[in-house]
Amino acid sequence: MNRRTFLKVLGSGVPVAAFSCRDRREAERLAAGESVNPSELAWGKAPCRYCGTGCGVEVGVKDGRVMAVRGDEKSPVNRGLLCVKGYHLPAMLYGADRLLHPQRRLPDGSLERISWDQALALVADKFAHTLATGGPGEVAVYGSGQWTVFDGYAAVKWVKGGMRSNNIDPNARLCMASAVMGFMTQFGSDEPMGCYDDFEAGDDFVLWGNNMAEMHPVLFSRILERKRQKPDVRIVDVATRRTPSSQYADLYVEIRPNTDLALANAVLHLLVANGAVDRAFVRDNVVFMRGVEDLEEIGYGCYGEQAERYVFKDRGRPSSFAELEAFLADYAPARAAEICGVPEEQIRALASLYGDRGRGTVSLWCMGVNQHVRGTWMNNLITDLHLLTGKIGRPGANPFSLTGQPSACGTVREVGTLANRLPADMLVTRPEHRAKAEEIWGLEPGTIPAQPGYHAVDMFRALARGDVKTMWIQTTNPWVSLPNLHRFERRPGDGRFIVVSDIYPTPTTDVADLILPSAAWVEREGVFGNSERRSQQWEKLVEPPGEAREDAWQIIEVARRMGMGHLFPWPEDDWHEPMWEEYRRFTLGTGKDLASYAELRAARGLRWPVVDGKETPYRYAAGFDPYVKKAKGVHFYKAKAYGERAAFWLRPYQPAAEVPDEEYPFWLTTGRVLEHWHTGSMTRRVGQLHRAVPAAYAELNRADAAALGIGDGDRVRLRSRRGSLELEARVDGRGQPPRGTVFVPFFDESVRINELTLDAMDNISKEPDYKKCAVRVERA
């Protein structure tokens, strides 16, 4: 596609998509030609419900229904543009099978409608009984990067401050945990120092395993516009298969799976060898560190004893530039080319790009880097490229981690809804952090336990073993999204009790003992935090259908029934603002200062730290960050453990946990497509999106397909050591994998590709690697 066609696909050529529907059929009729008069609608602001970009949306309401959406021209994120999913947001609310009432599963497997009073009493009774008989280790809450800040804050306060358990973890463990640990291990604080302004300031954009044209299309359009205005802007696509992003790249660098570690080290090797190191910057701002590298000790989290609980902990030690030089000797371009399959001249071109001091470089990554058995290492290495060259903390020169969920940053990472965290970068393992949380929450000292709880994969392993007896799952669909799904199949009479709060039936509600209907998006008040540290508030614009209620309300009401109402001492009909202001206390004076609720109401989002009403586009940067007092340069003031300098980590290449062999000769990698979001529980109920991509498929290389006698559209069977499934083959489609690789999207609950994937994990973040396992391909 050319740029004009691309932008037309993004925007569908229309500024307003109209809906007034109860089901998909009515939505389709309206989309086919009916329209609404925008002047007849009441318009409110909200962030988009889908990815972590955080596009601003204007929502048109009439007669208690969302009738239309349009891109918010006042939003600095998207400036009026939406992607195809955003333009069809209203239909997400009005599927015919929307969950409307609490339902309890009976012994015969059928569902019985019950009242909210009965449902809340049942949840409270099950958690109280489990606490009394088994203790805090046998209860768990599995949350989401789709939680609002209120949902996440209520959950973490109830679990850690009320039930005295750290068994709370989010689905963001499956997508962003490696980025969290990358920033934490290098800066002592999570989230990027840059912002979306980099797209108008950068000269070179390097996409590390990130199909940005499909996954973050509105942001990618900003890069394309920058290139249109400044033709010498360069885009580099480092990937394991060609995607729509590759079509816009000035340089496409195709690597073998898991070899990005070797490629990054080869680039570092050349930067040192070619004298491209900014030695003054390194001297003033960087320390060198090295961690555990023994593969036998580290493992992959899926073999032997680690297959039940993976608790490896890295141990860092001081290193030096001299040790770095010796370390990088193993990554000369010729050797790295053998490992990666990348020509030496491309490695040299990439090093030249990073080493050019006259040009700003922005590195961008998402799941290709994070969902990786050494994802934290790879996050470290990308940031190392910027630390070594001094291209960090200034407009157009930053490492930037993109996110996949609307509040993976604002709720998970900032509120701290993880097994080892508390709000504002605090950790349960630190006595002073627990004491601060106990003081703000009005708890007795010693209430919050010091031992981290189960991370996501181990939490579900514990559930399968019976070590976790009672679990509440909200706003996520783990029976589609977890790796190696067969491990978690439920058996009748297994003695567990699972509560699921959602808006539609899913494979996860299919295994629930109690289903609670949730309010969605603008059916409730909320705050999301996006990838550039922007907190965005919206008001409730319509009533939820049936008896659906917001997730935070559900948690608060259960806590009250368990005698923990003191945790939520606010009026039942007016608790959002006081809850926000209590949460905000964690952040003030820390460099993560959040805006007041009144400020958020009046703005199209504000990027923290917000001090004296002024947002911060660039963290750690003189002239931008109010916590930096020096006249120029950077100050990594959150990195207390490193003397307020950033840590450059030496990280070696290591192979994947499972590689193709004679029996299973193909790589399998998984991911998303433009039209669908995550497990498809919302987007597959939108007629236009469903028709565009109605089912999952297996992308094959043309030569592989020919050798196997498979044509485009033929049925194929994929087999791994964990399972098999059948689906349609796609040859020469939107993506083109190299020989020996198969790609399958994971949005289709009828074709659960995660029954084949391996539950190997990153050694530090404990994030699963969905991008690399071995499969066999057969004609079905």
Side-chain angles (χ1 to χ4, degrees):
M1 281 187 275
N2 60 29
R3 180 178 177 277
R4 183 184 298 275
T5 305
F6 176 72
L7 291 176
K8 184 176 179 182
V9 169
L10 288 182
S12 303
V14 292
V16 178
F19 293 89
S20 174
C21 53
R22 288 182 181 275
D23 58 31
R24 181 186 296 169
R25 290 186 299 276
E26 189 172 355
E28 291 169 352
R29 286 198 300 272
L30 285 164
E34 296 183 33
S35 62
V36 293
N37 185 345
S39 65
E40 297 177 356
L41 305 181
W43 294 91
K45 70 174 175 72
C48 179
R49 174 58 180 81
Y50 292 122
C51 81
T53 298
C55 289
V57 178
E58 288 190 284
V59 183
V61 175
K62 184 179 180 181
D63 298 330
R65 290 190 172 275
V66 175
M67 302 288 284
V69 294
R70 61 190 180 196
D72 187 351
E73 294 182 359
K74 295 179 182 178
S75 169
V77 172
N78 54 309
R79 304 166 183 178
L81 183 67
L82 295 174
C83 78
V84 66
K85 294 186 291 295
Y87 280 117
H88 291 90
L89 269 167
M92 175 271 290
L93 297 173
Y94 299 119
D97 58 344
R98 186 74 188 266
L99 295 172
L100 303 176
H101 311 285
Q103 299 174 84
R104 174 174 56 196
R105 195 170 302 281
L106 299 176
D108 64 1
S110 64
L111 292 170
E112 173 191 38
R113 177 177 168 179
I114 60 175
S115 69
W116 266 113
D117 280 342
Q118 290 174 299
L120 296 169
L122 180 59
V123 177
D125 178 70
K126 290 294 184 180
F127 274 95
H129 177 75
T130 303
L131 287 170
T133 57
E138 293 190 359
V139 298
V141 170
Y142 186 59
S144 174
Q146 301 159 61
W147 261 345
T148 68
V149 167
F150 302 115
D151 303 331
Y153 188 73
V156 78
K157 192 176 185 183
W158 173 54
V159 175
K160 300 193 178 192
M163 295 196 291
R164 303 188 177 207
S165 173
N166 284 324
N167 283 345
I168 177 172
D169 218 50
N171 64 358
R173 179 75 67 176
L174 312 182
C175 59
M176 291 312 305
S178 296
V180 172
M181 294 311 299
F183 286 118
M184 290 297 293
T185 55
Q186 296 191 275
F187 303 101
S189 181
D190 186 22
E191 298 194 48
M193 59 290 302
C195 63
Y196 296 164
D197 298 358
D198 285 332
F199 299 133
E200 284 73 50
D203 301 303
D204 298 317
F205 299 89
V206 184
L207 315 183
W208 288 89
N210 177 25
N211 179 14
M212 201 172 173
E214 289 194 88
M215 303 305 105
H216 297 88
V218 171
L219 298 182
F220 193 62
S221 74
R222 288 177 62 167
I223 295 176
L224 295 183
E225 179 61 15
R226 169 69 168 166
K227 187 172 178 62
R228 185 188 70 81
Q229 295 183 9
K230 191 174 184 293
D232 69 338
V233 164
R234 297 175 294 191
I235 300 172
V236 179
D237 183 29
V238 181
T240 57
R241 71 189 240 278
R242 287 186 177 272
T243 68
S245 301
S246 312
Q247 299 176 31
Y248 295 91
D250 298 278
L251 177 63
Y252 171 65
V253 180
E254 189 169 280
I255 61 171
R256 296 179 182 129
N258 219 69
T259 64
D260 46 2
L261 296 152
L263 175 62
N265 275 314
V267 174
L268 289 168
H269 171 102
L270 287 171
L271 291 173
V272 172
N274 297 340
V277 176
D278 187 335
R279 291 186 176 271
F281 181 90
V282 171
R283 180 194 64 231
D284 295 340
N285 300 290
V286 177
V287 299
F288 292 88
M289 298 291 295
R290 196 164 184 176
V292 178
E293 298 172 6
D294 179 64
L295 182 55
E296 185 174 349
E297 179 182 352
I298 296 171
Y300 292 108
C302 61
Y303 302 123
E305 293 181 358
Q306 292 181 347
E308 289 301 324
R309 189 158 193 192
Y310 189 35
V311 294
F312 167 81
K313 186 174 177 60
D314 196 24
R315 301 181 302 279
R317 64 166 178 81
S319 184
S320 65
F321 187 81
E323 186 175 13
L324 172 67
E325 289 182 293
F327 169 85
L328 293 175
D330 288 338
Y331 296 98
R335 180 172 183 266
E338 292 178 1
I339 297 171
C340 304
V342 175
E344 283 189 55
E345 55 268 27
Q346 287 195 337
I347 299 175
R348 296 184 185 279
L350 198 53
S352 176
L353 181 148
Y354 274 102
D356 188 340
R357 296 191 184 188
R359 296 174 65 87
T361 305
V362 180
S363 299
L364 296 145
W365 69 96
C366 200
M367 300 308 135
V369 166
N370 293 330
Q371 292 175 339
H372 191 313
V373 289
R374 298 296 178 262
T376 302
W377 288 10
M378 192 58 210
N379 271 265
N380 291 158
L381 288 173
I382 293 172
T383 299
D384 286 350
L385 293 168
H386 289 264
L387 291 174
L388 207 62
T389 56
K391 292 186 175 185
I392 192 167
R394 53 189 171 90
N398 283 296
F400 197 97
S401 162
L402 294 164
T403 46
Q405 297 188 83
S407 204
C409 289
T411 300
V412 171
R413 298 164 73 169
E414 293 163 26
V415 174
T417 62
L418 296 114
N420 64 324
R421 286 168 70 95
L422 291 163
D425 285 337
M426 298 200 306
L427 303 173
V428 299
T429 53
R430 299 278 295 273
E432 67 273 24
H433 292 175
R434 298 195 304 276
K436 180 175 180 178
E438 288 161 351
E439 185 272 325
I440 291 175
W441 288 344
L443 304 175
E444 290 293 325
T447 297
I448 300 171
Q451 178 65 35
Y454 292 114
H455 57 79
V457 174
D458 276 2
M459 181 184 289
F460 281 89
R461 290 171 172 177
L463 180 71
R465 291 193 305 268
D467 292 344
V468 166
K469 297 288 196 305
T470 302
M471 179 186 284
W472 194 347
I473 300 166
Q474 287 194 334
T475 326
T476 188
N477 191 12
W479 264 265
V480 175
S481 60
L482 285 170
N484 194 4
L485 271 172
H486 288 299
R487 286 199 62 171
F488 310 115
E489 293 175 353
R490 289 201 71 184
R491 300 181 303 277
D494 62 8
R496 325 293 191 262
F497 190 81
I498 298 177
V499 185
V500 176
S501 299
D502 213 325
I503 64 173
Y504 287 112
T506 68
T508 302
T509 64
D510 287 346
V511 303
D513 299 287
L514 180 66
I515 302 170
L516 302 179
S518 293
W521 192 39
V522 294
E523 296 168 353
R524 44 83 54 88
E525 186 174 341
V527 176
F528 282 159
N530 77 349
S531 297
E532 64 165 349
R533 297 172 281 108
R534 183 181 297 276
S535 305
Q536 302 188 84
Q537 185 270 353
W538 74 92
E539 302 290 343
K540 179 180 179 179
L541 301 179
V542 296
E543 290 294 328
E547 296 182 283
R549 300 298 298 263
E550 66 178 291
D551 298 293
W553 177 88
Q554 298 174 26
I555 293 167
I556 292 169
E557 289 302 312
V558 167
R560 285 175 174 153
R561 284 161 173 78
M562 294 177 67
M564 301 174 188
H566 61 282
L567 296 172
F568 306 101
W570 308 299
E572 292 187 20
D573 59 350
D574 186 23
W575 48 264
H576 292 89
E577 184 166 359
M579 180 185 283
W580 174 269
E581 294 302 335
E582 179 186 275
Y583 161 53
R584 181 171 173 247
R585 289 175 58 192
F586 283 92
T587 71
L588 297 179
T590 68
K592 305 200 78 168
D593 312 51
L594 293 169
S596 72
Y597 206 63
E599 289 170 327
L600 290 181
R601 273 196 163 117
R604 255 54 176 188
L606 292 169
R607 294 169 293 194
W608 58 260
V610 179
V611 177
D612 296 328
K614 184 179 179 181
E615 67 175 353
T616 300
Y618 293 97
R619 297 177 79 190
Y620 313 128
F624 293 100
D625 188 333
Y627 283 88
V628 175
K629 304 306 180 185
K630 62 199 301 187
K632 62 180 181 179
V634 297
H635 178 199
F636 300 116
Y637 56 86
K638 295 287 286 183
K640 305 297 185 185
Y642 309 126
E644 300 190 356
R645 299 184 179 197
F648 181 114
W649 285 86
L650 284 65
R651 301 296 198 187
Y653 161 74
Q654 289 187 347
E658 183 177 85
V659 299
D661 56 21
E662 187 174 343
E663 186 177 3
Y664 299 96
F666 285 84
W667 287 106
L668 170 66
T669 187
T670 68
R672 292 185 288 160
V673 295
L674 170 67
E675 295 82 358
H676 288 294
W677 194 73
H678 282 210
T679 65
S681 60
M682 293 181 288
T683 52
R684 293 187 79 218
R685 286 172 167 84
V686 178
Q688 295 84 350
L689 302 178
H690 178 69
R691 285 196 302 273
V693 186
Y697 50 84
E699 282 182 0
L700 293 172
N701 178 274
R702 171 165 287 279
D704 287 331
L708 294 167
I710 295 169
D712 186 56
D714 288 349
R715 300 288 295 177
V716 296
R717 182 179 299 107
L718 303 184
R719 294 185 184 275
S720 77
R721 290 177 174 85
R722 291 153 294 282
S724 66
L725 54 80
E726 294 184 10
L727 67 173
E728 187 178 288
R730 188 71 55 83
V731 181
D732 291 338
R734 188 181 299 176
Q736 292 93 41
R739 292 209 68 173
T741 296
V742 183
F743 170 84
V744 179
F746 72 94
F747 69 86
D748 188 349
E749 67 182 41
S750 67
V751 183
R752 290 187 238 179
I753 191 59
N754 283 321
E755 293 178 352
L756 276 62
T757 52
L758 180 66
D759 51 343
M761 287 175 271
D762 176 67
N763 57 319
I764 297 173
S765 71
K766 309 306 186 286
E767 179 170 338
D769 188 338
Y770 293 90
K771 304 299 184 183
K772 296 172 284 290
C773 71
V775 297
R776 185 164 67 249
V777 182
E778 307 165 346
R779 285 184 60 91

